Amino acid sequence: MVKAYLRYAPGNVFGVIASTTANIASDATGRLAVSPALQSVVVWDTKKAESVTVWHEEGNTAEVSCIARAPDGTTYAAGYTDGTIRVWSLTAGTTPLHWFQGHQSAVTALTFDPQGTTLASGSQDTNIVLWDLVAGAGKVRLTGHKDQITSLVFVPSGSALRTAAEQEDMAAGAEPKQQQKVTDRKLHRLLKSLPAAHILSASKDTTIKAWDLTTNACVETVVTHRSEVWDMALTHMWQDAPEVLTLVSAGDELKVHKVNADHLDQILATAASASSSAAAVPPPPTGDAVIAEADEPLRAIVHAGDLKKVSSQRSVSLKLSPCHTFVIAACVDTQIQVLRVLSPEEAKSKLTRRRKRLQDRAAKARAEGKEPTAEELGEPVLAIGDLISPLFVALADAKVRSVDVCPSLPAPRNTPAKADAATSPPIFTFLASLANNSINAYAVTKDEVQVLSTVDMHGHRGDIRALALSQDDELLASAGTNLVKVWNVRNAKCIRTMDAGYALSVAFVPGGKYLLVGTKSGELQIFSLASSALVESIKAHDSAIWSIALCPDKTGFVTGSADHQVKFWDFALVREEANRLTAIHTRTLKLSDEVLAVAISPNQKVVAVSLLDATVKVFYYDSLKFSLSLYGHKLPVLCMDISSDNTLILTGSADKNIKVWGLDFGDCHRSLFAHGDAIMQAKFVWGTHYAFTCSKDKTIKYWDLDKYENISTLAGHTSEVWALAIGKFGNFVASASHDRSIRMWEKTDEQLFLEEEREREMDAAADAAMVEAANEAGADANGVALSSADSLKAGERIIEALQLCLDERDKAAAHAKSGQPASALPVNPMLLATNCADPESYVLRSLERVRSADLEAALLVIPFSYIPLLLELADLWAEREWNLAVTCRVLFFLLKVHHNQIVASRALRPRLVSLQHHVRAAVERQRDIIGCNMAAFRYLKREKEFLSSSSF
């Protein structure tokens, strides 16, 4: 009989505030922080330090690698390490609005265009992809960089900038002749509203490229950086012409470039005219007397200078304040530098002071009988480093991962006049995600940078090295670098946080009121959960305490340390101090090597000790006499556990193997190659011979040690798994990792069979191979979307629908040939189930059900033998005007991919002529309808403006 097991499914994931794999984003108000949390995106309320919502799609195993905010302030795009992009909304719940697959590796740069209808993504695969958020599909792929894309910025056209500047000047009341003299137009606001005509991309290949969105061509490459470029920010400075923008780029240096949008528009036209003129004019004669001089190429992006950077480390994040008068540069160290852009009045005053100093120096030189230098006689000029100068430097508690500025200005505070005199109101606020798993909110005033709030309670600052469950399985204790936290298992909330040393082991005292913590320095710390305070710290060992094992009789515990000693302790109460708990040392077991783990049998007859020499020694608990020596591991045993029936001992080693031993004779029952790296924790499920092991290979494995079979593998952690804790009856498992997350794995009622589990693993591997092969086969199609398991399944469903259409047509022809009435023909059950009147509408329904981003990849799966039928159906759909958008998209993609085969087939020429007629007629009718509606909207707009205005 086949044995059935119960499956463990992922449950709550907590402990991660902001992972270091992606940047942070602020909402429109500055109160909410959208931060990456491994495979999820968490929205935090920075004032309450609480989680508002979590965006996670079931089945996703890839980490978040990039986050971008849309212009509307409520929509966010999240890129993942597997190349996928999901678009989320604060108002649409926890279901993604869009899902895109267009990259083969991690998405590292995302940005929205000013209208919020186009999303640009850059990846480690060096490609840039533009996505249409209205159609939910890819638009174009841009290739040219040699390394990872780090930042993307949209740029409007020069004509649009000049026109908008003229309109703003006219609205401000400036005369036409005076419009060019207007200095402080604040044209940076236009960058948020004008349509994009170009896009700038920065890469780790040290270059910045400009791309034209009309021709999708690279028009210019900037190579002024000598190191990797990590971020960019685009603004307009008051002294420049409307079409000249300022680009600040961050790397080892902070460089400033002037971007002439007019030149970006003209580069392609100039190149085309030059090539045509060169083709028309014959080449000049060659010789010593004739030398052809090449014209200087038109440059749209010119290096203007460098900014002063306080930190010697590279800058990784660069942002502009809402008013574009401040620049925030975050470095990989703890420094956040704030730079300020001078106003026209301040620049004029600074220029006047500099001119006065030069005049004084020239006068002093003449008085001394010397001739003034050319610099002293010349007109002073302000360099870009003078116009954008350092203002403040904020020091964070840890290394800064990213910063993001709140897009709206902070609301004025309702404070008394005395308080206002002492504290300046904030000019703007920004958020910073730190490498120690915390988020800081800052406010920049005219005097300093202030920390407004910190989100740090719901996670550890470093690794989580140990876990322990209370006796009732209601509380979970996690110990790590300088912190011990206690969590409520049911709601995953942190209820206690206590400062400790570098904790390596932790255990609940029976009763659940106290906590034992063993530290790296050898101290044994006792904490009270009622007061969240350290009750007593005992110097228990001279070196690290690697293990704490509670006695089954609940009267004491045992500690094992790297000082070659195992110490036995009893619990006691100090009555003089309100019955405070303490620990009394009773016995010491000295060994020949460092102790790595200690385990006590449930009947309390033996104690097992693992040593650094890769052996396990078993002693009698009462007399401490030697009983057994278990040897066979090639590397030290890092963990072990004894079954509840006192018959088996399970050991896990750094040699990647687990061994099952008999506790009566010390014989090795079975040795299993368990993991791909060192095994850090191994535990039995109480009352069974099932066991769980965790390893540095990021996985947790579930074992049946009666049959020596691996039941299932629990994958979800993104880094080494250090610790494991199992509920009393195995109803859940808790695991802690180097990624600072704590994951709960809950037992479900779903049955699991070993053969089916192995088949499922093989199917997953086969699907991955098919996706890779499909992407390689479709590389020549110049498509934007890549194949995925969903797109392959969608393609198979389309093929099934086309085959059903063929079968139904054959049945109808045979039925008509037999002379029976059409009403006697039985209807296909699939047509009845989908409420389709005929097979043609069923095929269209199958295409409509495909996710918009996967449609092109799904069409690549269809063999060419089905293409004539699909073209015939597209002709029918266009004639009847059924879902013209899907019809045209399918038709145009098939014509592009199979162009050579379709053109070479004479049988398809009449079909193409018919398609041309029907599609053009249907599109023209749609155009007329849309034009009529737009005219009606414009009329209603004018009517509303007329009714809402009055003249005096």
Side-chain angles (χ1 to χ4, degrees):
M1 182 177 179
V2 179
K3 188 174 182 179
Y5 303 90
L6 294 181
R7 185 181 299 277
Y8 281 81
N12 290 328
V13 181
F14 51 94
V16 180
I17 299 173
S19 55
T20 58
T21 56
N23 61 297
I24 195 173
S26 171
D27 75 326
T29 63
R31 177 163 183 168
L32 301 181
V34 181
S35 71
L38 302 180
Q39 294 93 342
S40 306
V41 179
V42 182
V43 182
W44 296 93
D45 188 327
T46 57
K47 291 187 177 180
K48 295 181 179 180
E50 294 179 354
S51 172
V52 177
T53 185
V54 178
W55 294 331
H56 177 75
E57 189 171 14
E58 186 177 355
N60 173 45
T61 58
E63 290 186 78
V64 180
S65 57
C66 188
I67 298 176
R69 180 183 62 248
D72 60 5
T74 60
T75 305
Y76 293 83
Y80 295 79
T81 54
D82 61 353
T84 59
I85 301 170
R86 293 172 176 84
V87 180
W88 308 87
S89 176
L90 290 172
T91 59
T94 57
T95 303
L97 302 178
H98 299 284
W99 185 95
F100 301 120
Q101 173 79 54
H103 296 283
Q104 296 181 351
S105 55
V107 180
T108 54
L110 288 170
T111 187
F112 288 87
D113 72 333
Q115 282 71 37
T117 57
T118 300
L119 174 67
S121 63
S123 170
Q124 287 181 355
D125 62 8
T126 73
N127 292 339
I128 302 167
V129 178
L130 301 182
W131 304 92
D132 188 343
L133 297 180
V134 178
K139 297 171 66 176
V140 68
R141 182 184 299 272
L142 308 176
T143 58
H145 280 287
K146 304 296 183 183
D147 208 336
Q148 169 185 324
I149 310 298
T150 55
S151 183
L152 298 169
V153 176
F154 281 102
V155 181
S157 64
S159 58
L161 284 169
R162 282 196 310 275
T163 302
E166 292 173 0
Q167 292 176 353
E168 186 165 329
D169 292 340
M170 294 293 292
E175 296 294 333
K177 296 182 179 180
Q178 298 177 352
Q179 289 177 9
Q180 298 299 325
K181 299 182 181 180
V182 177
T183 56
D184 194 12
R185 291 190 183 93
K186 297 182 180 180
L187 297 183
H188 60 82
R189 294 176 297 186
L190 303 178
L191 300 177
K192 302 178 181 179
S193 58
L194 295 179
H198 311 277
I199 187 170
L200 303 179
S201 61
S203 171
K204 289 175 67 175
D205 62 7
T206 73
T207 64
I208 298 174
K209 289 182 179 290
W211 308 81
D212 184 85
L213 296 183
T214 304
T215 60
N216 303 323
C218 177
V219 296
E220 187 165 340
T221 301
V222 182
V223 293
T224 53
H225 275 276
R226 297 182 180 179
S227 59
E228 301 169 347
V229 186
W230 285 94
D231 205 354
M232 296 186 299
L234 188 68
T235 185
H236 183 276
M237 298 188 69
W238 51 267
Q239 73 272 20
D240 294 330
E243 67 275 7
V244 178
L245 304 175
T246 301
L247 178 71
V248 185
S249 54
D252 286 346
E253 313 93 6
L254 289 177
K255 290 188 176 294
V256 179
H257 296 81
K258 294 297 182 179
V259 181
N260 193 315
D262 271 344
H263 289 178
L264 285 177
D265 300 337
Q266 298 169 6
I267 284 177
L268 285 180
T270 304
S273 61
S275 61
S276 60
S277 61
V281 178
T286 59
D288 297 336
V290 180
I291 301 175
E293 297 181 358
D295 294 335
E296 183 69 21
L298 183 65
R299 306 296 296 181
I301 306 176
V302 181
H303 182 226
D306 295 353
L307 302 181
K308 298 176 183 178
K309 194 158 70 75
V310 177
S311 174
S312 60
Q313 302 293 324
R314 61 178 171 87
S315 301
V316 292
S317 189
L318 194 67
K319 299 296 178 183
L320 294 168
S321 64
C323 55
H324 283 223
T325 54
F326 294 89
V327 180
I328 311 297
C331 302
V332 293
D333 54 9
T334 61
Q335 299 186 32
I336 303 174
Q337 185 175 354
V338 181
L339 300 98
R340 185 168 178 271
V341 181
L342 296 185
S343 64
E345 295 77 13
E346 293 170 334
K348 183 178 180 180
S349 176
K350 191 170 187 176
L351 195 61
T352 302
R353 291 195 302 270
R354 184 167 295 183
R355 186 183 296 110
K356 182 68 169 59
R357 285 197 299 269
L358 292 178
Q359 292 173 357
D360 293 344
R361 285 166 56 187
K364 183 178 180 181
R366 292 191 186 96
E368 294 176 354
K370 299 179 182 179
E371 189 68 23
T373 62
E375 179 186 358
E376 294 170 347
L377 294 177
E379 183 66 20
V381 178
L382 293 180
I384 194 66
D386 299 322
L387 294 173
I388 306 176
S389 58
L391 184 63
F392 302 122
V393 175
L395 296 178
D397 298 333
K399 291 184 177 181
V400 182
R401 174 58 183 85
S402 67
V403 295
D404 191 38
V405 175
C406 172
S408 60
L409 296 175
R413 298 179 181 177
N414 296 325
T415 53
K418 294 182 179 180
D420 285 342
T423 304
S424 302
I427 303 173
F428 68 96
T429 60
F430 67 92
L431 301 175
S433 63
L434 307 183
N436 66 349
N437 194 27
S438 63
I439 299 173
N440 285 353
Y442 294 90
V444 177
T445 67
K446 66 178 183 179
D447 301 321
E448 61 179 346
V449 180
Q450 303 172 351
V451 179
L452 294 179
S453 58
T454 301
V455 182
D456 60 357
M457 179 180 175
H458 302 279
H460 281 268
R461 306 284 80 77
D463 285 1
I464 304 174
R465 299 305 301 267
L467 288 177
L469 280 166
S470 60
Q471 288 181 316
D472 56 1
D473 290 344
E474 293 291 331
L475 300 179
L476 175 69
S478 59
T481 308
N482 302 326
L483 276 182
V484 176
K485 289 183 175 288
V486 180
W487 309 81
N488 188 316
V489 173
R490 293 185 178 180
N491 56 19
K493 299 293 184 182
C494 179
I495 58 176
R496 294 288 187 273
T497 299
M498 295 162 284
D499 294 329
Y502 195 112
L504 298 176
S505 53
V506 64
F508 274 96
V509 175
K513 294 183 179 180
Y514 292 90
L515 204 62
L516 298 174
V517 176
T519 66
K520 190 176 182 179
S521 60
E523 292 185 358
L524 180 65
Q525 297 178 334
I526 304 176
F527 290 91
S528 172
L529 297 185
S531 60
S532 299
L534 177 63
V535 174
E536 186 177 2
S537 180
I538 304 170
K539 185 61 178 177
H541 291 272
D542 296 330
S543 190
I545 302 176
W546 288 107
S547 180
I548 297 177
L550 293 175
C551 297
D553 60 3
K554 303 179 182 180
T555 60
F557 59 96
V558 179
T559 57
S561 169
D563 62 0
H564 303 190
Q565 294 181 351
V566 176
K567 291 188 177 182
F568 295 77
W569 307 80
D570 285 342
F571 295 118
L573 294 176
V574 181
R575 300 188 181 277
E576 291 80 5
E577 300 182 19
N579 293 334
R580 176 179 61 83
L581 182 74
T582 187
I584 299 175
H585 177 219
T586 57
R587 294 181 295 172
T588 300
L589 175 62
K590 295 185 178 180
L591 297 158
S592 60
D593 214 332
E594 295 184 15
V595 178
L596 299 180
V598 178
I600 304 174
S601 63
N603 59 8
Q604 204 166 327
K605 287 186 177 182
V606 296
V607 55
V609 182
S610 70
L611 303 179
L612 192 62
D613 61 3
T615 63
V616 176
K617 307 292 186 184
V618 181
F619 300 89
Y620 292 105
Y621 182 85
D622 51 359
S623 62
L624 298 186
K625 289 183 178 181
F626 176 77
S627 174
L628 298 170
S629 179
L630 312 179
Y631 55 90
H633 283 288
K634 297 178 181 179
L635 291 175
V637 176
L638 303 178
C639 55
M640 57 185 176
D641 195 19
I642 299 175
S643 62
S644 56
D645 58 0
N646 306 290
T647 59
L648 299 179
I649 179 171
L650 172 66
T651 58
S653 169
D655 62 8
K656 310 173 188 178
N657 295 325
I658 60 172
K659 291 182 183 290
V660 183
W661 313 77
L663 202 55
D664 45 3
F665 300 107
D667 56 324
C668 181
H669 291 182
R670 187 65 63 93
S671 179
L672 301 171
F673 182 77
H675 289 273
D677 209 331
I679 299 170
M680 303 307 300
Q681 194 74 271
K683 285 187 177 296
F684 278 103
V685 177
W686 182 264
T688 69
H689 284 175
Y690 301 150
F692 285 89
T693 58
C694 66
S695 167
K696 285 185 177 181
D697 65 359
K698 310 175 187 178
T699 62
I700 302 163
K701 292 193 175 181
Y702 182 29
W703 302 88
D704 182 355
L705 296 182
D706 286 329
K707 293 187 175 183
Y708 309 109
E709 292 277 359
N710 176 24
I711 301 173
S712 64
T713 300
L714 308 179
H717 284 288
T718 61
S719 191
E720 298 92 339
V721 185
W722 294 117
L724 202 64
I726 304 177
K728 183 67 175 177
F729 301 104
N731 54 336
F732 68 90
V733 178
S735 59
S737 170
H738 177 72
D739 59 17
R740 298 168 186 169
S741 69
I742 301 175
R743 293 179 179 268
M744 307 299 294
W745 310 87
E746 299 174 354
K747 183 190 287 187
T748 64
D749 295 331
E750 180 185 356
Q751 288 188 339
L752 181 151
F753 300 94
L754 295 181
E755 292 184 2
E756 292 181 359
E757 192 69 12
R758 300 294 90 82
E759 290 177 0
R760 180 178 298 182
E761 293 173 0
M762 289 189 292
D763 290 343
D767 289 343
M770 289 177 58
V771 169
E772 184 177 357
N775 287 329
E776 292 178 357
D780 298 334
N782 295 325
V784 173
L786 297 180
S787 296
S788 62
D790 293 338
S791 65
L792 293 180
K793 293 177 182 177
E796 292 173 357
R797 288 194 295 269
I798 295 174
I799 295 174
E800 292 173 359
L802 291 172
Q803 187 61 44
L804 183 143
C805 181
L806 288 175
D807 295 343
E808 289 298 309
R809 287 186 172 185
D810 293 342
K811 290 180 182 178
H815 188 78
K817 190 176 181 180
S818 63
Q820 298 180 9
S823 58
L825 179 67
V827 182
N828 192 299
M830 293 299 296
L831 301 181
L832 291 175
T834 55
N835 196 21
C836 294
D838 48 29
E840 292 79 7
S841 59
Y842 177 74
V843 176
L844 181 60
R845 180 71 60 86
S846 300
L847 288 169
E848 291 172 343
R849 288 181 176 178
V850 179
R851 188 162 44 191
S852 180
D854 290 338
L855 183 57
E856 294 180 357
L859 292 174
L860 287 175
V861 182
I862 302 175
F864 185 75
S865 58
Y866 287 100
I867 299 303
L869 174 61
L870 200 50
L871 292 177
E872 178 185 350
L873 294 177
D875 188 16
L876 177 65
W877 300 333
E879 183 182 3
R880 299 179 180 179
E881 295 189 16
W882 289 356
N883 201 336
L884 197 59
V886 173
T887 302
C888 291
R889 189 177 170 193
V890 171
L891 176 62
F892 297 154
F893 183 76
L894 293 178
L895 292 176
K896 181 178 70 173
V897 174
H898 303 286
H899 177 267
N900 294 334
Q901 295 91 331
I902 293 175
V903 171
S905 175
R906 292 186 176 182
L908 292 178
R909 290 183 183 178
R911 181 63 58 195
L912 293 178
V913 174
S914 177
L915 277 167
Q916 180 183 12
H917 171 70
H918 291 147
V919 171
R920 178 171 293 178
V923 171
E924 287 178 353
R925 281 192 290 271
Q926 290 289 332
R927 181 196 61 190
D928 295 341
I929 293 173
I930 294 174
C932 180
N933 291 336
M934 293 299 295
F937 282 129
R938 285 193 292 268
Y939 171 77
L940 292 176
K941 180 182 177 181
R942 290 194 302 267
E943 189 73 13
K944 181 178 181 300
E945 291 175 352
F946 175 77
L947 294 176
S948 60
S949 61
S950 59
S951 57
F952 295 95

Short mmCIF file of all heavy atoms in Angstrom, two decimals, residues 263-292:
data_model
loop_
_atom_site.label_atom_id
_atom_site.label_comp_id
_atom_site.label_asym_id
_atom_site.label_seq_id
_atom_site.Cartn_x
_atom_site.Cartn_y
_atom_site.Cartn_z
N HIS A 263 18.85 69.28 -30.01
CA HIS A 263 19.89 68.51 -30.68
C HIS A 263 19.53 67.03 -30.72
O HIS A 263 19.85 66.33 -31.70
CB HIS A 263 21.23 68.72 -29.99
CG HIS A 263 21.79 70.08 -30.20
ND1 HIS A 263 22.97 70.52 -29.63
CD2 HIS A 263 21.31 71.15 -30.91
CE1 HIS A 263 23.20 71.76 -29.99
NE2 HIS A 263 22.21 72.17 -30.76
N LEU A 264 18.90 66.52 -29.66
CA LEU A 264 18.45 65.13 -29.69
C LEU A 264 17.44 64.91 -30.82
O LEU A 264 17.44 63.85 -31.47
CB LEU A 264 17.81 64.75 -28.35
CG LEU A 264 18.75 64.51 -27.17
CD1 LEU A 264 17.95 64.21 -25.91
CD2 LEU A 264 19.71 63.37 -27.46
N ASP A 265 16.58 65.91 -31.06
CA ASP A 265 15.62 65.80 -32.15
C ASP A 265 16.29 65.85 -33.51
O ASP A 265 15.83 65.22 -34.47
CB ASP A 265 14.58 66.92 -32.07
CG ASP A 265 13.81 66.88 -30.76
OD1 ASP A 265 13.74 65.80 -30.15
OD2 ASP A 265 13.26 67.93 -30.35
N GLN A 266 17.42 66.59 -33.59
CA GLN A 266 18.04 66.86 -34.90
C GLN A 266 19.11 65.86 -35.28
O GLN A 266 19.54 65.83 -36.43
CB GLN A 266 18.65 68.26 -34.90
CG GLN A 266 17.64 69.37 -34.69
CD GLN A 266 18.29 70.71 -34.42
OE1 GLN A 266 19.52 70.83 -34.50
NE2 GLN A 266 17.49 71.70 -34.09
N ILE A 267 19.58 65.04 -34.33
CA ILE A 267 20.73 64.17 -34.63
C ILE A 267 20.41 63.22 -35.77
O ILE A 267 21.18 63.07 -36.73
CB ILE A 267 21.16 63.40 -33.37
CG1 ILE A 267 21.92 64.34 -32.43
CG2 ILE A 267 22.03 62.21 -33.72
CD1 ILE A 267 22.33 63.70 -31.13
N LEU A 268 19.25 62.54 -35.71
CA LEU A 268 18.90 61.59 -36.75
C LEU A 268 18.68 62.28 -38.09
O LEU A 268 19.12 61.79 -39.13
CB LEU A 268 17.66 60.80 -36.35
CG LEU A 268 17.85 59.71 -35.28
CD1 LEU A 268 16.53 59.03 -34.99
CD2 LEU A 268 18.87 58.68 -35.73
N ALA A 269 18.03 63.47 -38.07
CA ALA A 269 17.80 64.19 -39.31
C ALA A 269 19.12 64.66 -39.91
O ALA A 269 19.32 64.58 -41.13
CB ALA A 269 16.87 65.39 -39.06
N THR A 270 20.04 65.11 -39.07
CA THR A 270 21.35 65.55 -39.56
C THR A 270 22.13 64.39 -40.16
O THR A 270 22.75 64.50 -41.20
CB THR A 270 22.14 66.19 -38.41
OG1 THR A 270 21.38 67.25 -37.83
CG2 THR A 270 23.48 66.71 -38.91
N ALA A 271 22.07 63.24 -39.47
CA ALA A 271 22.79 62.07 -39.97
C ALA A 271 22.20 61.60 -41.31
O ALA A 271 22.93 61.24 -42.23
CB ALA A 271 22.74 60.94 -38.95
N ALA A 272 20.86 61.64 -41.42
CA ALA A 272 20.23 61.20 -42.66
C ALA A 272 20.58 62.14 -43.82
O ALA A 272 20.89 61.70 -44.93
CB ALA A 272 18.72 61.11 -42.47
N SER A 273 20.54 63.47 -43.56
CA SER A 273 20.87 64.43 -44.62
C SER A 273 22.33 64.34 -45.02
O SER A 273 22.69 64.46 -46.19
CB SER A 273 20.53 65.85 -44.16
OG SER A 273 21.29 66.18 -43.01
N ALA A 274 23.21 64.09 -44.02
CA ALA A 274 24.63 63.97 -44.33
C ALA A 274 24.91 62.75 -45.19
O ALA A 274 25.69 62.79 -46.14
CB ALA A 274 25.45 63.90 -43.04
N SER A 275 24.21 61.64 -44.86
CA SER A 275 24.43 60.43 -45.65
C SER A 275 23.90 60.59 -47.07
O SER A 275 24.51 60.14 -48.04
CB SER A 275 23.77 59.23 -44.97
OG SER A 275 22.38 59.44 -44.88
N SER A 276 22.76 61.28 -47.22
CA SER A 276 22.20 61.47 -48.56
C SER A 276 23.06 62.42 -49.39
O SER A 276 23.30 62.19 -50.58
CB SER A 276 20.77 62.01 -48.47
OG SER A 276 20.77 63.27 -47.80
N SER A 277 23.59 63.49 -48.76
CA SER A 277 24.46 64.40 -49.49
C SER A 277 25.78 63.76 -49.84
O SER A 277 26.35 63.99 -50.91
CB SER A 277 24.69 65.67 -48.66
OG SER A 277 25.32 65.33 -47.43
N ALA A 278 26.28 62.91 -48.94
CA ALA A 278 27.53 62.21 -49.24
C ALA A 278 27.35 61.25 -50.40
O ALA A 278 28.26 61.03 -51.21
CB ALA A 278 28.01 61.45 -48.01
N ALA A 279 26.16 60.67 -50.54
CA ALA A 279 25.91 59.77 -51.65
C ALA A 279 25.75 60.53 -52.97
O ALA A 279 26.08 60.02 -54.03
CB ALA A 279 24.66 58.92 -51.38
N ALA A 280 25.24 61.77 -52.88
CA ALA A 280 25.01 62.54 -54.10
C ALA A 280 26.28 63.19 -54.61
O ALA A 280 26.49 63.32 -55.82
CB ALA A 280 23.93 63.60 -53.86
N VAL A 281 27.15 63.67 -53.72
CA VAL A 281 28.38 64.37 -54.12
C VAL A 281 29.48 63.36 -54.35
O VAL A 281 29.70 62.48 -53.50
CB VAL A 281 28.79 65.38 -53.03
CG1 VAL A 281 30.10 66.07 -53.42
CG2 VAL A 281 27.69 66.39 -52.83
N PRO A 282 30.22 63.43 -55.44
CA PRO A 282 31.31 62.47 -55.68
C PRO A 282 32.44 62.71 -54.69
O PRO A 282 32.63 63.81 -54.19
CB PRO A 282 31.75 62.78 -57.12
CG PRO A 282 31.32 64.18 -57.36
CD PRO A 282 30.04 64.35 -56.58
N PRO A 283 33.19 61.67 -54.36
CA PRO A 283 34.28 61.83 -53.40
C PRO A 283 35.36 62.75 -53.93
O PRO A 283 35.62 62.79 -55.13
CB PRO A 283 34.78 60.39 -53.22
CG PRO A 283 34.37 59.68 -54.46
CD PRO A 283 33.09 60.32 -54.88
N PRO A 284 36.02 63.51 -53.07
CA PRO A 284 37.08 64.43 -53.52
C PRO A 284 38.30 63.65 -53.98
O PRO A 284 38.53 62.52 -53.55
CB PRO A 284 37.38 65.26 -52.27
CG PRO A 284 36.99 64.37 -51.13
CD PRO A 284 35.83 63.56 -51.63
N PRO A 285 39.08 64.23 -54.86
CA PRO A 285 40.29 63.54 -55.32
C PRO A 285 41.29 63.40 -54.19
O PRO A 285 41.42 64.27 -53.34
CB PRO A 285 40.82 64.44 -56.44
CG PRO A 285 40.26 65.80 -56.13
CD PRO A 285 38.91 65.56 -55.52
N THR A 286 42.00 62.27 -54.21
CA THR A 286 42.98 62.00 -53.17
C THR A 286 44.33 62.50 -53.59
O THR A 286 44.69 62.54 -54.76
CB THR A 286 43.04 60.50 -52.88
OG1 THR A 286 43.40 59.83 -54.08
CG2 THR A 286 41.70 59.97 -52.40
N GLY A 287 45.11 62.92 -52.64
CA GLY A 287 46.45 63.41 -52.92
C GLY A 287 46.97 64.19 -51.75
O GLY A 287 46.27 64.44 -50.77
N ASP A 288 48.22 64.61 -51.83
CA ASP A 288 48.82 65.35 -50.72
C ASP A 288 48.25 66.74 -50.61
O ASP A 288 48.22 67.33 -49.53
CB ASP A 288 50.34 65.44 -50.94
CG ASP A 288 50.99 64.06 -50.91
OD1 ASP A 288 50.39 63.16 -50.30
OD2 ASP A 288 52.07 63.90 -51.51
N ALA A 289 47.77 67.29 -51.73
CA ALA A 289 47.28 68.67 -51.69
C ALA A 289 45.86 68.76 -51.23
O ALA A 289 45.37 69.84 -50.90
CB ALA A 289 47.42 69.30 -53.10
N VAL A 290 45.14 67.63 -51.25
CA VAL A 290 43.72 67.64 -50.90
C VAL A 290 43.56 66.85 -49.61
O VAL A 290 43.91 65.67 -49.54
CB VAL A 290 42.86 67.02 -52.00
CG1 VAL A 290 41.40 67.04 -51.60
CG2 VAL A 290 43.08 67.77 -53.30
N ILE A 291 43.07 67.51 -48.58
CA ILE A 291 42.85 66.87 -47.27
C ILE A 291 41.40 67.08 -46.89
O ILE A 291 40.94 68.22 -46.80
CB ILE A 291 43.79 67.44 -46.20
CG1 ILE A 291 45.26 67.24 -46.62
CG2 ILE A 291 43.53 66.81 -44.85
CD1 ILE A 291 46.24 67.88 -45.67
N ALA A 292 40.67 66.00 -46.67
CA ALA A 292 39.26 66.08 -46.30
C ALA A 292 39.15 66.26 -44.80
O ALA A 292 39.69 65.47 -44.03
CB ALA A 292 38.52 64.82 -46.73
#
